[in-house]
Amino acid sequence: MKNITETQILPAVRTTRAKDTIGRLFFLEASGGRIHSANADGSDRKVIVTGCRIPDGIVVDVDAGHIYWTNMGVPYRNDGSIERADLDGQNRVTIVNEGATFTPKQLHLEKKSGKLYWCDREGMRVMRANLDGSEIETLVDTSKGDARPGTDLTKWCVGITVDPDRGQIYWTQKGPDDAGKGRIFRAKIDISKGETAANRTDIEVLFDGLPEPIDLELDLRNRFLYWTDRGDPPRGNTVNRASLDADFNKHPASDILLTHLMEGIGIALDFKGDRMFLTDLAGTIYSAELDGSEKKPLLVAQGNLTGIAYAEIPGSR
């Protein structure tokens, strides 16, 4: 991918009035290596990027007019990457090159610090970098000395989200398929002095014994954690919600909001519209209220779908 200049990435939509926005979904088709965009009701679906290498996580930077996504690549080749493009898929550029991360999964954009966060599955790491891909850091290393790519699925890191106000990261380690060994963790973003990503002592286990927790999202205003789980029913193939302020030493149960997903993966929250959007590997995009009610399919048979993002982007004048 060629490098692009600053003048090339400053879209004219920056001057569009805030009221001239439309809600758009951006979602990833892993099987076809494509990125799609559609209206929030599923209409006006279009392919905006092709030739991705098993894309998994996606985020939208509306102010800059960018989408970012992860490419898993082939795990044993250490050829995962992270790319960026304009909202229409133009001006595509690789910002984290092959060899820097094994199999990047869910991606989180944290504008306050200007960082991208992601989980590296076979790399057994939680990582971050600047928005241009520089200053790549490992925040958590779960390998315990295992060589990369890791073969112990309990150490695989998959989903991630960030609480910038409290300086915390949350991530999932899904475990083997349908094994009931999935976990959700929390730690400070910054590693304490004298500790490393491999031996840090501030990691909390919030939930364990889950089927296969995948992607995460936070509702910071109401202090809720949402996640998808692709394991077997009754607790798998669900969307779950739990209070961030629960006493996790008492092993609280989460609330199951939605069931009957077909290998649930991606989740995106729209607080203004009081709704969520979900993807599954069977190729369906669903919408539902934030409490799980009013579930309905928006698009079906779209290939193996992974990450999804919702954004209100500038529309036509």
Side-chain angles (χ1 to χ4, degrees), residues 66-142:
H66 291 151
I67 56 172
Y68 296 84
W69 70 94
T70 60
N71 295 302
M72 292 174 58
V74 180
Y76 64 84
R77 293 180 179 171
N78 190 18
D79 63 352
S81 63
I82 299 177
E83 294 186 71
R84 182 188 73 208
D86 293 346
L87 296 177
D88 60 1
Q90 300 300 307
N91 293 319
R92 181 176 173 183
V93 61
T94 299
I95 61 168
V96 174
N97 291 301
E98 295 181 10
T101 182
F102 271 82
T103 40
K105 299 288 286 178
Q106 188 179 13
L107 187 65
H108 181 90
L109 170 67
E110 207 292 276
K111 286 282 287 185
K112 191 174 181 178
S113 62
K115 296 285 186 178
L116 290 168
Y117 292 77
W118 70 93
C119 274
D120 180 3
R121 192 177 68 184
E122 272 81 356
M124 302 171 287
R125 294 174 289 194
V126 176
M127 307 182 75
R128 74 173 175 182
N130 292 333
L131 298 185
D132 62 0
S134 63
E135 295 187 27
I136 298 173
E137 303 172 79
T138 295
L139 302 177
V140 180
D141 181 345
T142 66

Side-chain angles (χ1 to χ4, degrees), residues 105-106 119 157-161 170-173 213-216:
K105 299 288 286 178
Q106 188 179 13
C119 274
C157 302
V158 176
I160 187 166
T161 191
Y170 294 76
W171 72 96
T172 64
Q173 291 174 215
I214 305 295
D215 282 0
L216 298 167

Side-chain angles (χ1 to χ4, degrees), residues 18 26 32 137 167 190 194 215 244 246:
F26 297 83
E137 303 172 79
D190 297 320
D215 282 0
L244 293 173

